[in-house]
Amino acid sequence: MTDKLIHALVEMQETEALQQAKQLLDSGTDPMDILDACSKAMEKVGQRFEKGEYFLPHLMMAGEMLKQISDIIKPLIKEEKSTTEKRRVLIGTVKGDIHDIGKNIVTFLLEVNGFEVRDIGIDQPPEKFVESIQEFQPQVVGMSGLLSLAFDSMKETVEAIEKAGLREKVKIMIGGGQVTEQVKDYTGADALGPNAIAGVNLAKQWIGGK
Amino acid sequence: MLIVGELINSTRKAIAAAIEAGDRASIQQIAKDQANAGARYIDVNAGSFQDREIEYLTWLVQTVQEAVELPCCLDSPNPAALEAALKVHKGIPMINSISLEKERCEKLLPVVTANDFKVVALCMSDEGMPRTADDRIRIAEELVNFLLDHKIKLENIYVDPLVQPVATDQTFGREFLKSVEQIMSRFSGIHTICGLSNVSYGLPQRKFLNRTFMAMAIAKGLDAAILDPLDKQMMANVLAAEALVGRDNFCMNFINAHKAGKIVC
Ligand code: B12
């Protein structure tokens, strides 16, 4: 049923993809199934990129389509959520790093899974993470980084969170292309999410959600 | 068009290996090839070797200048490395680069102000990468006025508006081009420079895109570039663009290059 949507997304047919998503919603498809289809499509796009069949603009465009679909679906999910206690995730790309395609996918999937997500953007210094934690009071913090130098920024950010006395209040997950278990240990984060679904699962494991 | 030959850069594996091995012959050959191909400055970068940058940058300057009678473009944000390299450098170098980033600016200013050097002024501030032409012009104005206040001559300033990949935002090319045009018209006598290969990042047919973009930038007034002068098609493209935009008297450079068999399309 969602095959057409997946196909449209993978083949970069923007209008068609949006239309398919709307049609599916109108015909009563569970929003979660639509989102599931989206992440399947993203996986395929990623594979094509790795094989050299797709180029950077394909990743960007896929991200854009994802965002538009999420804008349609989010309101529907918000309703469901308001009944449960707020589960909040703060996410951002760490200092010195401007890669955000992966982070945006994680944000998207978290949101569609009912988490309230605040995305503080790219190249964010430790102070900004700390400030935002104080303001937003998340239970989970996600840090994204693709550059090797981002590992130090992640470590600094964890340290800053600790200094501010907030470390006990949040679980910290990290992710991004080059991040490994060793990096996780180095930075002092609680867990590593090799992909966006893993990120969602971590958040669920820590603070619940279906 | 002022060409800075970009090849002697330690982020390239072959160059890093030559530097570590102390292989003078290879470095000198690359310097000569670039000079013969029309480079007017030879960029030298030893930034990959953080702990030995001072020693290696100095060695590069000496090695290069033994082989060619050209000044170097000293590619480092590290004042200690620059000072050491300047001690052995002959002629008037280009310093690559200063920016509005506070730390970089404070550290490098004394190095540039004391001398009549050429300086690359990178449109970058502590707020991060500029995205629009307006961002760039705001940074450029502040940086240029700051440099002028510190007695650096306008004609020694090469503003680099910073090229970003169109693959990630399709406005990046256009905004860069606009900023070249505006910087050149606002500060008569200043120069603009860039390394433009970033524009094609993430796309197929990169060299072709780079050449096309070069022609467009020249049309807007770009008058210097950091590039691979051994790329014959790129060099031909530069000559063609300069002739077409009226920066080549009686098209003589273009014609002479043609006669010398240098116009490779
Ligand atoms: C796209 C890209 C760019 C784009 C970024 C556009 C954007 N808006 O993000 C642009 C062109 C701007 C760019 C710039 C640079 N890049 Co780049 N870039 C890439 C590229 C090609 C793809 C990255 C990507 O988006 N992948 C797709 C996404 C979906 O994957 P992902 O980010 O890993 O995310 C997934 C998971 O990791 C996970 N995840 C991600 N974040 C998080 C967070 C949490 C909490 C969790 C749980 C999970 C999670 O979920 C995601 C979905 O499954 C990679 C090469 C590659 N093939 O990976 C290089 C790469 C990352 N870039 C690299 C470099 C060096 C740079 C530059 C320094 C280049 C330069 N010299 O200018 C600049 C960096 C500027 C800066 N300060 O950051 C290097 C990094 C090398 C290193 N070890 O440091 C790479 C590896 C290329 C290379 N081989 O050299 N780049």
Side-chain angles (χ1 to χ4, degrees):
Chain A
M1 217 173 42
T2 50
D3 287 358
K4 276 190 183 159
L5 172 61
I6 296 180
H7 180 82
L9 283 168
V10 173
E11 298 302 329
M12 302 288 136
Q13 296 158 346
E14 191 171 6
T15 331
E16 174 70 13
L18 282 176
Q19 218 166 5
Q20 283 297 332
K22 279 186 199 139
Q23 263 173 29
L24 285 168
L25 273 179
D26 290 344
S27 66
T29 310
D30 183 345
M32 285 306 162
D33 291 342
I34 298 179
L35 298 167
D36 218 39
C38 288
S39 49
K40 278 196 193 120
M42 284 311 285
E43 216 170 288
K44 281 201 180 151
V45 172
Q47 284 162 1
R48 290 197 183 177
F49 178 71
E50 254 140 49
K51 278 195 242 157
E53 289 166 15
Y54 271 3
F55 295 91
L56 191 46
H58 292 103
L59 287 183
M60 303 295 289
M61 190 170 176
E64 176 62 30
M65 289 189 286
L66 214 58
K67 190 174 167 297
Q68 293 188 42
I69 294 179
S70 107
D71 286 345
I72 306 174
I73 293 185
K74 248 193 263 170
L76 301 172
I77 296 186
K78 278 246 167 72
E79 270 170 44
E80 281 179 41
K81 197 179 56 180
S82 56
T83 52
T84 56
E85 202 209 331
K86 289 253 190 295
R87 296 171 294 134
R88 286 182 296 266
V89 183
L90 179 83
I91 193 166
T93 301
V94 294
K95 190 173 123 195
D97 200 322
I98 61 160
H99 294 87
D100 68 356
I101 300 174
K103 175 198 58 106
N104 294 346
I105 297 174
V106 179
T107 305
F108 167 76
L109 281 188
L110 283 167
E111 281 181 336
V112 299
N113 275 284
F115 292 92
E116 187 179 345
V117 186
R118 181 177 295 181
D119 179 354
I120 57 173
I122 54 174
D123 191 12
Q124 291 299 331
E127 311 87 77
K128 181 71 193 199
F129 273 91
V130 169
E131 229 172 76
S132 308
I133 294 172
Q134 282 159 345
E135 236 176 69
F136 182 57
Q137 305 275 332
Q139 297 98 334
V140 174
V141 174
M143 296 191 285
S144 185
L146 274 83
L147 300 174
S148 324
L149 72 82
F151 307 157
D152 284 316
S153 302
M154 288 177 174
K155 187 179 163 77
E156 285 165 26
T157 308
V158 175
E159 282 164 4
I161 293 173
E162 208 156 334
K163 260 212 192 113
L166 299 165
R167 186 67 184 87
E168 301 301 311
K169 296 201 176 126
V170 294
K171 286 283 191 183
I172 302 178
M173 59 180 179
I174 59 172
Q178 331 267 322
V179 175
T180 58
E181 279 297 321
Q182 279 102 314
V183 173
K184 186 212 84 185
D185 294 339
Y186 173 73
T187 59
D190 295 306
L192 148 73
N195 55 52
I197 318 245
V200 172
N201 289 336
L202 281 170
K204 281 185 180 168
Q205 188 189 316
W206 287 330
I207 56 177
K210 38 175 179 57
Chain B
M1 193 80 175
L2 182 118
I3 304 288
V4 178
E6 71 180 2
L7 294 177
I8 304 181
N9 189 312
S10 61
T11 58
R12 300 175 63 227
K13 284 206 185 82
I15 300 294
I19 295 175
E20 271 193 302
D23 180 353
R24 310 176 81 80
S26 300
I27 297 290
Q28 292 185 332
Q29 191 58 50
I30 298 167
K32 276 186 214 155
D33 289 346
Q34 293 188 93
N36 291 337
R40 299 247 302 278
Y41 284 81
I42 305 294
D43 192 87
V44 285
N45 171 308
S48 304
F49 304 98
Q50 286 201 338
D51 35 343
R52 301 186 73 174
E53 188 187 2
I54 299 179
E55 175 196 338
Y56 284 157
L57 191 69
T58 311
W59 179 80
L60 279 176
V61 169
Q62 284 173 320
T63 306
V64 165
Q65 290 198 319
E66 264 169 34
V68 297
E69 281 188 33
L70 285 180
C72 290
C73 176
L74 305 173
D75 187 353
S76 169
N78 174 356
L82 287 175
E83 263 164 41
L86 285 167
K87 284 212 182 92
V88 300
H89 187 275
K90 292 177 277 187
I92 297 175
M94 183 181 281
I95 308 290
N96 184 13
S97 57
I98 198 163
S99 74
L100 262 193
E101 294 157 291
K102 196 156 177 280
E103 209 189 314
R104 188 171 200 164
C105 194
E106 278 170 4
K107 283 195 187 150
L108 290 189
L109 192 66
V111 181
V112 263
T113 37
N115 304 282
D116 200 27
F117 299 153
K118 313 273 176 200
V119 58
V120 176
L122 190 62
C123 284
M124 183 101 150
S125 72
D126 289 318
E127 267 107 81
M129 304 259 252
R131 297 187 70 88
T132 63
D134 287 348
D135 289 347
R136 291 178 163 84
I137 285 150
R138 221 176 302 124
I139 299 174
E141 287 213 313
E142 198 177 324
L143 184 54
V144 169
N145 286 325
F146 177 81
L147 294 175
L148 292 176
D149 285 347
H150 288 83
K151 306 274 177 293
I152 292 162
K153 293 193 195 108
L154 189 72
E155 62 268 26
N156 281 341
I157 303 175
Y158 290 75
V159 179
D160 181 344
L162 222 109
V163 173
Q164 285 164 280
V166 285
T168 62
D169 183 333
Q170 63 189 18
T171 66
F172 278 161
R174 177 186 78 204
E175 296 300 306
F176 172 87
L177 294 170
K178 258 199 234 166
S179 63
V180 169
E181 185 168 43
Q182 293 193 24
I183 290 163
M184 292 305 263
S185 70
R186 255 177 231 208
F187 301 97
S188 173
I190 206 166
H191 306 282
T192 39
I193 191 167
C194 70
L196 54 68
S197 57
N198 227 348
V199 78
S200 60
Y201 180 89
L203 290 171
Q205 302 283 4
R206 293 192 62 179
K207 286 196 156 185
F208 175 61
L209 287 169
N210 294 346
R211 292 203 297 273
T212 306
F213 195 58
M214 176 61 90
M216 295 166 82
I218 289 174
K220 296 290 188 189
L222 185 83
D223 62 353
I226 305 179
L227 51 74
D228 171 9
L230 306 188
D231 178 346
K232 294 198 171 102
Q233 288 174 312
M234 173 59 95
M235 294 300 276
N237 217 286
V238 167
L239 287 165
E242 291 218 283
L244 292 170
V245 84
R247 280 182 3 204
D248 177 4
N249 253 344
F250 297 96
C251 305
M252 276 307 152
N253 280 338
F254 185 78
I255 296 170
N256 290 337
H258 159 70
K259 287 198 171 148
K262 286 187 180 163
I263 302 300
V264 187
C265 332

